[in-house]
């Protein structure tokens, strides 16, 4: 299949390329930008006039709920939503059922994703067997089976010696450790940020120290072992400062933030809004500004969706008993593009944190429009206004606090490995 995307504004952060031109695809690869190669005749031409042409997005954290939680979502439903959102690569945390701690589970997920054919799904393997935080997993076998890194998902490893052994083992096999920074003792069954709002609502809070203490411990172990590590979903300004210092000192650490932590604070929980029950919790205005500053400075190098679809009943209980998480695939790009209007980040800067930077963290050769690259390409209408409602949602999980928000920017076409897998209103 030969495709030409004509007259679009091509944005490729990996190559610092921002120019209006044509892009040509053949056999699943990008073969030229500008003039078509000799003898190239497209089977299909997509008119991208007044639109952006970008690499497919790479999402560092998207729970697809399969295997084990198919009543919430499946790989087929969520990769379809991802394609509509311009996401062509998703990293799946290991907290499925069964847990991703054997090559067999990785093979199953990969098979289901290939059957769906809408997006690339890569797995993060479990750092400990069954995510129990006790016995380390067979990381080398998981890496050989295709894992892009190892993680213990949202289950903190309380024992520092176990964490040290994980890092030593991972460093030996050059595996990236994905860390969720939360001290379980300080969390103490909290369900939102500890502060004036939690006190007024009478809800148990999670102090900022639950994150910063865990970051401090893990940074000490990273320095001790030399492992390459990535901090997932930072929520506090102080944690950003700690990561910045570690990067200055030469540690191999990176970090990401969820798009919703760049827009929401504890105030959005003020009426017991269970749609804002997330983990790590939404913190205060100062923290939200600190996260944005971390993104601008480059300390935080990736924005992810932290997609966690739920069935409707999971959000109908009293706040602390509801499931945490947001269905967030379809708001990742428009919320990120909004940052270009609200900060001094350029479109290339924003897109780099959605494409090439997360691809580098995962060690994948995607997220670029370079000649010869895999043709994961999206076409975006940057002036398309739309309102979030149930009718516009493709994810099976409709749990979002952004219902009713007017957003700008929508994906009109998504090509995955050179195949058109989404066309708006098609």
């Amino acid at each position: 299949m030969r495709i030409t995307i004509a007259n679009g504004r091509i944005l490729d952060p990996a190559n610092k390329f921002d120019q209006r031109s044509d892009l040509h695809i053949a056999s699943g690869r990008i073969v030229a930008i500008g003039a078509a190669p000799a003898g190239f005749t497209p089977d299909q031409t997509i008119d991208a006039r007044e639109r952006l042409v970008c690499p497919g997005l790479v999402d560092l954290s998207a729970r697809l709920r399969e295997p084990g939680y198919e009543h919430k979502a499946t790989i087929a439903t969520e990769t379809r939503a991802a394609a509509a959102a311009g996401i062509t690569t998703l990293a799946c945390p290991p907290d499925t059922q069964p847990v991703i701690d054997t090559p067999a589970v990785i093979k199953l997920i990969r098979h289901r994703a290939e059957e769906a054919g809408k997006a690339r799904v890569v797995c993060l393997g479990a750092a400990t067997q069954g995510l129990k935080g006790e016995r380390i997993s067979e990381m080398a076998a998981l890496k050989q089976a295709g894992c892009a890194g190892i993680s213990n998902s949202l289950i903190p490893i309380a024992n520092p010696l176990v964490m040290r052994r994980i890092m030593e083992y991972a460093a030996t096999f050059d595996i990236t450790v994905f860390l969720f920074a939360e001290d379980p003792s300080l969390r103490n069954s909290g369900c939102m940020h500890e502060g004036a709002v939690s006190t007024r609502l009478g809800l148990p809070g999670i102090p900022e120290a639950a994150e910063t203490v865990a970051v401090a411990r893990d940074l000490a172990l990273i320095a001790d072992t030399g492992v390459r590590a990535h901090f997932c979903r930072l929520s506090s300004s102080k944690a950003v400062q700690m990561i910045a210092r570690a990067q200055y000192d030469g540690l191999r650490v990176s970090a990401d933030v969820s798009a919703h932590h760049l827009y929401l604070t504890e105030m959005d929980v003020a009426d017991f809004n269970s749609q804002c029950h997330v983990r790590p919790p939404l913190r205060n205005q100062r923290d939200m500004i600190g996260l944005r500053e971390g993104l601008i400075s480059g300390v935080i190098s990736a924005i992810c969706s932290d997609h966690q679809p739920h069935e409707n009943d999971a959000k109908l209980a009293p706040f602390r008993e509801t499931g945490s998480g947001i269905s967030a695939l379809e708001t990742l790009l428009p919320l990120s593009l909004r940052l270009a209007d609200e900060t001094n980040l350029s479109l290339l800067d924003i897109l780099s944190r959605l494409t090439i930077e997360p691809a580098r963290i995962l060690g994948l050769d995607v997220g670029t429009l370079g000649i010869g690259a895999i043709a994961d390409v999206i076409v975006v209408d940057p002036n398309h206004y739309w309102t979030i409602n149930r009718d516009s949602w493709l994810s099976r999980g409709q749990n979002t606090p952004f219902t009713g928000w007017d957003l700008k920017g929508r994906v009109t076409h998504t090509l995955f490995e050179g195949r058109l897998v989404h066309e708006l209103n098609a």
Side-chain angles (χ1 to χ4, degrees):
M1 184 73 174
R2 297 183 174 191
I3 298 175
T4 291
I5 302 175
N7 305 311
R9 179 183 172 186
I10 299 176
L11 291 153
D12 181 14
N15 294 299
K16 309 295 183 190
F17 187 91
D18 181 357
Q19 187 174 314
R20 195 168 300 281
S21 189
D22 298 342
L23 183 144
H24 309 280
I25 296 167
S27 303
R29 299 271 174 178
I30 296 168
V31 294
I33 292 177
F40 182 94
T41 303
D43 302 302
Q44 181 178 2
T45 299
I46 297 171
D47 184 4
R49 199 181 310 272
E50 306 301 327
R51 296 180 180 175
L52 312 177
V53 180
C54 319
L57 309 188
V58 180
D59 190 353
L60 286 176
S61 181
R63 285 171 175 79
L64 308 178
R65 302 305 195 191
E66 186 180 1
Y69 304 98
E70 287 84 352
H71 61 290
K72 294 180 182 288
T74 66
I75 290 173
T77 62
E78 301 317 285
T79 53
R80 175 169 169 256
I87 302 167
T88 51
T89 300
L90 306 99
C92 174
D95 50 1
T96 51
Q97 186 57 43
V99 168
I100 305 175
D101 59 1
T102 65
V105 182
I106 298 168
K107 184 177 180 181
L108 170 66
I109 292 173
R110 180 179 295 169
H111 176 66
R112 294 283 168 81
E114 289 174 353
E115 276 186 333
K118 297 287 189 181
R120 184 177 301 102
V121 177
V122 296
C123 296
L124 299 180
T128 59
Q129 296 179 25
L131 298 176
K132 295 179 180 177
E134 298 167 355
R135 301 174 61 188
I136 63 176
S137 63
E138 294 291 340
M139 298 178 206
L142 295 176
K143 180 182 180 182
Q144 190 172 20
C147 274
I150 57 106
S151 162
N152 223 53
S153 195
L154 295 176
I155 304 172
I157 296 173
N159 188 330
L161 181 59
V162 173
M163 180 58 88
R164 189 171 190 268
R165 294 286 182 257
I166 289 169
M167 291 185 180
E168 288 174 336
Y169 196 111
T172 300
F173 291 95
D174 195 28
I175 299 171
T176 302
V177 180
F178 289 72
L179 299 164
F180 174 62
E182 182 185 85
D183 184 285
S185 299
L186 289 170
R187 177 174 183 253
N188 193 27
S189 303
C191 61
M192 69 170 292
H193 174 63
E194 182 181 271
V197 178
S198 67
T199 301
R200 179 165 63 81
L201 298 179
L203 293 173
I206 304 173
E208 176 190 73
E211 180 168 272
T212 54
V213 166
V215 169
R217 183 200 72 170
D218 290 345
L219 285 176
L221 294 174
I222 292 165
D224 192 39
T225 61
V227 74
R228 183 174 61 244
H230 177 77
F231 285 89
C232 308
R233 267 69 72 202
L234 294 185
S235 68
S236 68
S237 179
K238 286 184 180 175
V240 175
Q241 295 170 17
M242 296 166 75
I243 300 296
R245 179 68 207 193
Q247 291 174 341
Y248 177 81
D249 290 339
L251 298 190
R252 299 195 299 166
V253 294
S254 54
D256 69 56
V257 63
S258 74
H260 48 263
H261 275 89
L262 298 170
Y263 283 94
L264 304 175
T265 70
E266 59 180 339
M267 296 303 294
D268 293 288
V269 186
D271 60 352
F272 295 98
N273 183 359
S274 62
Q275 301 294 347
C276 291
H277 183 188
V278 295
R279 191 174 168 207
L282 302 171
R283 298 199 182 273
N284 57 36
Q285 186 77 11
R286 184 185 66 248
D287 289 308
M288 188 184 76
I289 293 171
L291 292 171
R292 287 187 173 206
E293 290 175 347
L295 197 68
I296 292 168
S297 68
V299 173
I300 296 174
S301 55
I303 308 172
C304 71
S305 71
D306 197 18
H307 178 64
Q308 299 184 51
H310 284 292
E311 75 280 21
N312 290 337
D313 288 350
K315 289 289 188 181
L316 296 178
F319 185 89
R320 66 182 300 182
E321 297 171 17
T322 57
S324 66
I326 290 174
S327 178
L329 292 174
E330 290 155 89
T331 48
L332 175 60
L333 181 61
L335 287 177
S336 300
L337 291 177
R338 190 167 171 164
L339 285 173
D341 296 329
E342 298 181 359
T343 69
N344 60 1
L345 283 168
S346 68
L347 272 178
L348 275 180
D349 291 332
I350 292 290
L351 289 170
S352 73
R353 286 147 177 81
L354 295 167
T355 57
I356 188 62
E357 294 297 343
R360 286 171 177 156
I361 291 166
L362 292 170
L364 300 178
D365 189 19
V366 295
T368 173
L369 298 181
I371 305 303
I374 296 171
D376 294 347
V377 186
I378 62 174
V379 181
V380 181
D381 182 348
N383 298 311
H384 183 121
Y385 286 87
W386 59 293
T387 303
I388 297 177
N389 57 50
R390 287 175 178 264
D391 295 335
S392 64
W393 221 240
L394 288 178
S395 170
R396 183 177 290 178
Q398 299 187 336
N399 48 298
T400 173
F402 297 107
T403 299
W405 280 45
D406 292 323
L407 298 177
K408 188 175 75 167
R410 195 142 200 199
V411 176
T412 61
H413 299 79
T414 300
L415 288 86
F416 171 55
E417 297 181 344
R419 293 181 292 108
L420 186 62
V421 293
H422 166 73
E423 184 173 1
L424 187 63
N425 297 326

